[in-house]
Amino acid sequence: MFDSADFGLEDLERISRDAERQMSRLAEIEGELGEVRGTGTGADGLVGVTVGPSGRVERIDLNPRVMRLDSHALAEELMRAVGAAEDDRERRTREILESAGLPDTPVSADDTRERMAVAYEFFAGSVDAPDGRFERR
């Protein structure tokens, strides 16, 4: 049970410092997630694709030799490269979230934003813990 007689100014200051550190870290994570890119290749490296944080294709690089492929084969290799780039972005996103200790890591940009909102709410609720410790819910 919480005893307010044992709760002093230094406890409040410690909680405040911990809260500031956690909020700063969450802001860093949000910034990292906003910079996540994924890359993928196809046609033995002749096709390169980069996707941005939302999963949208930002860049396609085609080696001139890839133009020797027929249109169906080229389309297939482009799709392979896009898929690999999306997988790479998802992996990088998971790594960032896992390093922050966030469970059940999402892979889409919308899910990532939602997960960050949940993390902020979790953190805010933890600060209200009567013993000043961050509780795991």
Side-chain angles (χ1 to χ4, degrees), residues 21-82:
R21 277 194 298 271
Q22 290 295 325
M23 292 302 286
S24 176
R25 179 62 184 134
L26 287 174
E28 288 174 16
I29 292 167
E30 193 169 35
E32 290 175 33
L33 291 172
E35 297 297 320
V36 172
R37 302 282 185 281
T39 58
T41 61
D44 296 323
L46 298 178
V47 174
V49 172
T50 301
V51 296
S54 68
R56 180 171 287 184
V57 174
E58 292 183 340
R59 182 180 175 107
I60 297 174
D61 294 308
L62 300 175
N63 183 298
R65 291 182 293 165
V66 80
M67 301 312 282
R68 296 178 186 153
L69 297 176
D70 66 55
S71 62
H72 295 289
L74 178 57
E76 188 176 304
E77 292 302 324
L78 278 167
M79 292 302 293
R80 180 174 289 122
V82 168

Side-chain angles (χ1 to χ4, degrees), residues 86-127:
E86 289 172 342
D87 290 347
D88 185 47
R89 182 196 59 82
E90 290 172 4
R91 178 189 56 77
R92 291 172 190 240
T93 297
R94 274 193 301 276
E95 287 174 355
I96 291 169
L97 294 173
E98 287 172 359
S99 74
L102 298 174
D104 302 319
T105 55
V107 293
S108 77
D110 289 337
D111 286 344
T112 300
R113 278 192 282 285
E114 183 177 330
R115 180 66 61 195
M116 290 303 295
V118 168
Y120 279 120
E121 288 175 27
F122 168 78
F123 175 75
S126 297
V127 172

